[in-house]
Amino acid sequence: MKQIGHWINGALVAGNSGRTADVFNPATGEVQAKVALASKAELDAAVADAAEAQIKWGATNPQRRARVMMELVRLINRDMDKLAEALSSEHGKTFPDAKGDIQRGLEVIEFCIGAPHLLKGEFTDSAGPGIDMYSLRQPVGVAAGITPFNFPAMIPLWKMGPALAAGNAFILKPSERDPSVPLMLAALCKEAGLPDGVLQVINGDKEAVDAILDNDTIQAIGFVGSTPIAQYIYGRGCANGKRVQCFGGAKNHMIIMPDADMDLAADALVGAGYGAAGERCMAISVAVPVGDKTADALIERLIPRIEKLKVGPWTAGNDVDYGPVVTAAAKANILRLVQTGVDQGAKLVVDGRDFSLQGYEDGFFVGPHLFDNVTPDMDIYKHEIFGPVLSTVRTQSYEEALKLAMDHEYGNGTAIFTRDGDTARDFANRINVGMIGINVPIPVPLAYHTFGGWKKSVFGDLNQHGPDAFRFYTRTKTVTARWPSGIKEGSAFNFKAMD
Ligand code: NAD
């Protein structure tokens, strides 16, 4: 059985905690590897080495650090297929989708090539008589990232790129469900010129996470995952005096106005609802048609499109629209929630419960589901399902649709489909959600903007990637400097204006 360890001080090392977790092939249901789960002692030792390595890395000039990012871009492109294969085989997503996962992470590394510009700081000449004032952006020291299973390349790259380019050492604790790609990325960082110890990849579960939260050397923690864990990490990390940002779960609504292009809306919903088996924090999981005529027209278009979806293993190449979900437990949870939808009175218009794939009967495949007549009190509306299940909530007016989305506890992404600029503009201005699509179903911002939700989809301040990431991974220091020039003032006992 393949054993997966950690990446420590520039090399793959086996774990020594004696604890491991199974890594599955989600398409067959087989255990394909065992991943080591780090102990607190292993985590603390890796952090101590990282702190040592950070001293020289932090003092390396920003342009040299940016060159490592530049080389990393080349190497990731070189190994794109190899990385995507490893990613698909552990996560289950299709090969093109795995490449997309890597590509969206790569774009943040490209953005990090411009880090010297973002780290420049500020300078005021002659802030007072003979006095200059300047602000420095310095690395926080050792930072850590705790990442989810659903984007095993993109989110580790979103975290490590800005942290490293800003001069920090970085401890990455990826998801134990698909740990191989982060280790491959660490090896590419070394090949790109990153000094040993500056990036440590520690595999593990709650024990490793708690060790990160309690480690005194770690100054900043970026987390992405489900909301209950986000809330826990934010609370414990902040209580320990760290800078913490946590991105949590989602329930993204797409509002379809009566004037929308219905075919465009139906195509968008199928891609955004069922792509990656619905395992995206930016997936659309709630369709909100305005008016019964709109709802009927939409459902009529959705059914044949959904029934045509091809579900299968990533090895089937471009013939597959989406693959299995990540674990048997994830599949069971999705089917449990679907059953609550039926029991609580929603209308299951497309029923994927009996889906089975010949030759892959033990794989974690879930057929597509479409619900109509869902109401806000139902479990399938309230909870994130994270599977190929789309719920339709019928509304009778734009205001009712807007209020519905605003009242939901999550606020990651949302979209409106309309031909009316006035409505679209009003929606973008009033909705309490972080990322908005106008006739765009999955509005993931590009690397040079920032990514983040509102409400229970986020805990803490500042977004991911873009300029915010450099603010998060740096600390400001402001220097007031006067070089002796013969001015004699005596002692000053009060604050006073410099001029
Ligand atoms: P998860 O919360 O189960 O795990 C995320 C990380 O936390 C993993 O590294 C895991 O090892 C660790 N973890 C799990 N349980 C823990 C515990 N009890 N104590 C300490 N650490 C623990 O999330 P997941 O299932 O891997 O990912 C899916 C979730 O992530 C979904 O809710 C999805 O919406 C969310 N997500 C959010 C964003 C965003 O930017 N808002 C992006 C991607 C995914």
Side-chain angles (χ1 to χ4, degrees):
M1 177 71 62
K2 183 177 160 195
Q3 303 290 324
I4 300 173
H6 314 292
W7 179 269
I8 299 177
N9 298 339
L12 284 172
V13 300
N16 62 23
S17 72
R19 291 196 312 123
T20 59
D22 292 338
V23 178
F24 291 92
N25 174 347
T28 62
E30 290 160 354
V31 177
Q32 57 167 314
K34 297 269 183 193
V35 61
L37 301 175
S39 64
K40 177 170 166 46
E42 286 173 292
L43 185 279
D44 286 342
V47 173
D49 290 345
E52 189 66 32
Q54 191 274 332
I55 297 169
K56 207 163 155 205
W57 177 244
T60 301
N61 80 52
Q63 202 162 345
R64 281 183 193 277
R65 295 198 303 253
R67 283 190 197 124
V68 173
M69 296 293 131
M70 214 183 300
E71 181 61 1
L72 183 58
V73 167
R74 188 185 73 78
L75 295 174
I76 293 174
N77 275 315
R78 182 195 70 188
D79 287 2
M80 179 65 84
D81 283 1
K82 219 162 54 177
L83 289 161
E85 269 182 46
L87 198 158
S88 288
S89 79
E90 288 181 356
H91 177 286
K93 65 175 73 173
T94 65
F95 192 62
D97 204 28
K99 282 185 164 180
D101 184 331
I102 299 161
Q103 178 62 33
R104 291 309 290 263
L106 183 63
E107 287 166 13
V108 169
I109 304 299
E110 288 171 343
F111 173 71
C112 290
I113 295 170
H117 176 67
L118 293 160
L119 296 169
K120 272 189 320 208
E122 293 168 335
F123 186 89
T124 302
D125 174 51
S126 300
I131 293 178
D132 299 327
M133 192 174 285
Y134 53 97
S135 298
L136 307 172
R137 284 210 164 274
Q138 296 194 325
V140 297
V142 181
I146 301 159
T147 55
F149 82 84
N150 68 325
F151 283 101
M154 180 181 86
I155 296 179
L157 287 168
W158 284 9
K159 300 284 175 207
M160 69 165 87
L164 295 172
N168 299 285
F170 194 68
I171 310 295
L172 174 66
K173 206 303 284 171
S175 171
E176 62 275 38
R177 295 182 219 159
D178 40 18
S180 289
V181 170
L183 292 170
M184 292 165 81
L185 292 172
L188 293 183
C189 285
K190 179 182 168 100
E191 192 179 342
L194 190 73
D196 292 350
V198 172
L199 171 65
Q200 315 274 48
V201 182
I202 305 296
N203 280 308
D205 57 2
K206 182 170 167 51
E207 182 173 342
V209 171
D210 286 348
I212 289 173
L213 296 173
D214 295 342
N215 183 290
D216 287 338
T217 303
I218 294 174
Q219 299 295 310
I221 299 175
F223 169 88
V224 181
S226 59
T227 285
I229 309 299
Q231 200 156 7
Y232 164 70
I233 286 175
Y234 186 69
R236 186 155 165 176
C238 288
N240 285 337
K242 300 181 194 311
R243 183 180 291 187
V244 190
Q245 57 170 198
C246 295
F247 300 89
K251 195 80 180 175
N252 303 321
H253 293 54
M254 178 168 136
I255 288 158
I256 302 101
M257 296 298 292
D259 67 350
D261 178 329
M262 267 328 139
D263 287 307
L264 181 74
D267 284 339
L269 268 173
V270 172
Y274 301 94
E279 290 177 324
R280 289 180 181 141
C281 68
M282 289 294 277
I284 295 287
S285 48
V286 187
V288 189
V290 173
D292 282 327
K293 228 171 108 187
T294 313
D296 293 342
L298 186 70
I299 297 278
E300 185 189 304
R301 283 168 175 78
L302 283 174
I303 292 173
R305 284 168 167 84
I306 295 168
E307 286 175 345
K308 259 194 256 148
L309 285 173
K310 286 175 264 155
V311 184
W314 73 273
T315 42
N318 290 337
D319 288 341
V320 170
D321 293 312
Y322 74 82
V325 298
V326 69
T327 54
K331 176 174 174 172
N333 188 48
I334 293 163
L335 294 177
R336 180 188 63 78
L337 277 161
V338 166
Q339 193 54 46
T340 67
V342 173
D343 295 346
Q344 291 169 14
K347 186 171 163 198
L348 189 54
V349 193
V350 177
D351 185 351
R353 284 176 295 180
D354 290 334
F355 181 87
S356 170
L357 194 65
Q358 210 181 356
Y360 294 90
E361 288 79 2
D362 294 330
F364 311 138
F365 293 97
V366 180
H369 295 78
L370 174 65
F371 277 108
D372 194 2
N373 297 328
V374 175
T375 53
D377 54 323
M378 293 178 183
D379 287 346
I380 51 169
Y381 179 75
K382 288 192 284 196
H383 302 298
E384 183 180 40
I385 302 176
F386 226 52
V389 183
L390 183 63
S391 296
T392 310
V393 181
R394 292 176 175 237
T395 55
Q396 298 312 320
S397 69
Y398 165 69
E399 287 295 334
E400 188 189 343
L402 178 70
K403 183 172 180 327
L404 181 82
M406 290 185 70
D407 285 349
H408 202 285
E409 65 172 343
Y410 291 122
N412 213 37
T414 187
I416 187 164
F417 274 60
T418 178
R419 286 191 171 96
D420 184 67
D422 221 16
T423 310
R425 190 165 183 276
D426 183 79
F427 181 74
N429 281 335
R430 286 168 66 198
I431 190 86
N432 54 0
V433 171
M435 293 170 281
I436 319 296
I438 296 172
N439 298 317
V440 171
I442 305 191
V444 176
L446 287 173
Y448 41 92
H449 288 265
T450 68
F451 181 110
W454 285 18
K455 298 186 277 183
K456 286 261 169 70
S457 295
V458 74
F459 299 84
D461 197 8
L462 297 174
N463 276 354
Q464 308 193 78
H465 66 64
D468 267 13
F470 283 87
R471 292 188 193 108
F472 185 74
Y473 290 115
T474 55
R475 250 194 285 249
T476 307
K477 184 183 277 176
T478 305
V479 181
T480 306
R482 176 168 63 192
W483 292 100
S485 58
I487 301 169
K488 300 269 184 288
E489 278 190 342
S491 301
F493 295 97
N494 302 315
F495 279 136
K496 56 178 188 166
M498 283 199 175
D499 53 356

